Amino acid sequence: MVHAITTTQKTVDVSSGMLWYDGCGTAQNLLPAFTYAAKAMGKVIRELNGKFNGMDFHVPTPNTSVMNLTCCLEKAAKYDDIKVVVSWVSEEPPKSILGYTEDQFVSCDFNNDFHSSTFDAGSGIALNDNFVKFIS
């Protein structure tokens, strides 16, 4: 994950104890951090429990985030076929959860987007039919 500054982060450099970068100002630094999002995914979707791991970076932007998900697929699939399925799923209720775009957007284009996440079809890649990278 790469995500915006959070309320728990410092706006200027301060002493922070054990993890020195926790005291670094967020408006002027890219900061590595631990994320609970990967573990939470397994709690929400039991079939995915233990199959995710991740880290995140906090970047100097006021809002929006991006997820870079790399997957090793059990069954081979063409990236164009995956895009069709994700587009179809994005039209199913509840429509506020997953969006789909083939437009070339940057973070500020999502400032007023109501979706929890928007699949960026043009930014993902397939290294082969079993190894793909999704951007949302």
Side-chain angles (χ1 to χ4, degrees), residues 21-93:
Y21 52 78
D22 282 351
C24 295
T26 58
Q28 57 273 25
N29 294 292
L30 300 175
L31 303 173
F34 177 76
T35 180
Y36 293 98
K39 291 187 184 222
M41 190 69 118
K43 293 181 187 276
V44 174
I45 304 171
R46 297 281 181 208
E47 297 83 20
L48 300 178
N49 196 25
K51 295 184 179 182
F52 277 98
N53 201 351
M55 63 176 297
D56 64 12
F57 286 91
H58 300 225
V59 299
T61 185
N63 59 1
T64 68
S65 301
V66 63
M67 179 186 64
N68 172 348
L69 176 65
T70 303
C71 299
C72 182
L73 303 176
E74 202 170 287
K75 289 175 125 182
K78 298 285 184 201
Y79 188 70
D80 284 340
D81 294 335
I82 293 169
K83 291 189 324 186
V84 168
V85 171
V86 174
S87 176
W88 176 77
V89 168
S90 74
E91 293 299 320
E92 294 296 305

Side-chain angles (χ1 to χ4, degrees), residues 61 63-66 101 103-111 120 123:
T61 185
N63 59 1
T64 68
S65 301
V66 63
T101 187
D103 295 330
Q104 294 182 350
F105 284 155
V106 295
S107 59
C108 68
D109 293 322
F110 293 99
N111 282 345
D120 186 345
S123 293

